């Protein structure tokens, strides 16, 4: 009986391992298709749209956006690609607007688990579209010294959402 119990335990461990390997192959195939799509992009707009679409698919998010830092007289950020918003977000935002501006300034990711409980005055207008959660990730320069932009997802249903 003890041997049977050990064999059953090992069988469950093997099933878990097989499931994990299957997920790895699925993720690898997804990433390979993603890389091929990005490599085939004809211009920055197509590249941005591909990043936003595939990033949203990866975490099963209803809405996603890509914001890039703007410099000059009006430092801030511009939404260069978005997905899932009824009307596209404004093109430009000041550096102090919303959590996206804070992520650009601080260079640290931000996760709001309950977007409805977050004070709306702290959000940019497009961030207010979140109904469940909000995840913002800084995009860094090659040397890691500065945040050049932010990738954001709203209302993700992925494993962490």
């Amino acid at each position: 009986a003890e041997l049977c119990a050990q064999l059953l335990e090992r069988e469950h461990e093997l099933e878990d391992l097989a499931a994990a390997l299957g997920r790895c192959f699925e993720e690898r195939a997804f990433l390979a298709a993603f890389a091929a799509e990005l490599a085939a992009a004809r211009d920055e707009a197509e590249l941005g749209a591909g990043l936003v679409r595939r990033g949203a698919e990866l975490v099963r998010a209803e809405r996603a956006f890509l914001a890039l830092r703007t410099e000059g007289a009006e430092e801030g950020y511009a939404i260069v690609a978005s997905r899932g918003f009824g009307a596209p977000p404004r093109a430009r935002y000041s550096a102090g607007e919303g959590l996206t501006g804070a992520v650009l300034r601080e260079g640290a990711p931000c996760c709001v688990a309950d977007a409805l409980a977050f004070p709306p005055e702290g959000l940019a207008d497009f961030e207010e579209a979140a109904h469940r959660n909000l995840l913002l990730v800084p995009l860094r320069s090659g040397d890691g010294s500065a945040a050049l932009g932010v990738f954001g997802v709203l209302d993700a249903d992925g494993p962490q959402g």
Side-chain angles (χ1 to χ4, degrees):
E2 186 176 321
L3 180 59
C4 286
Q6 289 177 349
L7 287 174
L8 273 174
E9 184 177 321
R10 294 287 181 221
E11 183 178 345
H12 291 298
E13 289 174 3
L14 288 173
E15 288 172 354
D16 291 345
L17 180 59
L21 285 172
R23 286 190 301 275
C24 286
F25 284 119
E26 288 173 10
E27 289 173 7
R28 185 174 181 196
F30 176 88
L31 292 174
F34 188 18
E37 182 180 333
L38 295 180
R42 293 182 301 254
D43 57 28
E44 288 180 9
E46 195 172 295
L47 179 65
L51 281 167
V52 167
R53 185 179 72 258
R54 288 294 192 153
E57 288 172 1
L58 188 62
V59 295
R60 293 184 294 280
E62 294 177 19
R63 293 169 200 78
F65 67 90
L66 176 62
L68 296 179
R69 180 185 298 274
T70 59
E71 295 180 8
E74 290 187 39
E75 189 172 320
Y77 58 97
I79 305 297
V80 296
S82 63
R83 174 184 187 212
F85 293 89
R90 288 192 334 254
R92 290 199 170 303
Y93 292 83
S94 72
E97 282 187 80
L99 291 174
T100 300
V103 169
L104 272 174
R105 285 189 312 276
E106 303 298 323
C110 176
C111 180
V112 177
D114 184 359
L116 295 178
F118 196 85
E121 61 274 7
L123 300 173
D125 56 355
F126 66 95
E127 295 167 343
E128 290 178 10
H131 298 290
R132 291 188 308 279
N133 52 52
L134 178 64
L135 175 64
L136 305 169
V137 180
L139 306 173
R140 299 200 160 277
S141 60
D143 64 5
S145 63
L148 302 176
V150 174
F151 176 73
V153 293
L154 289 71
D155 302 329
D157 285 333
Q160 311 307 322

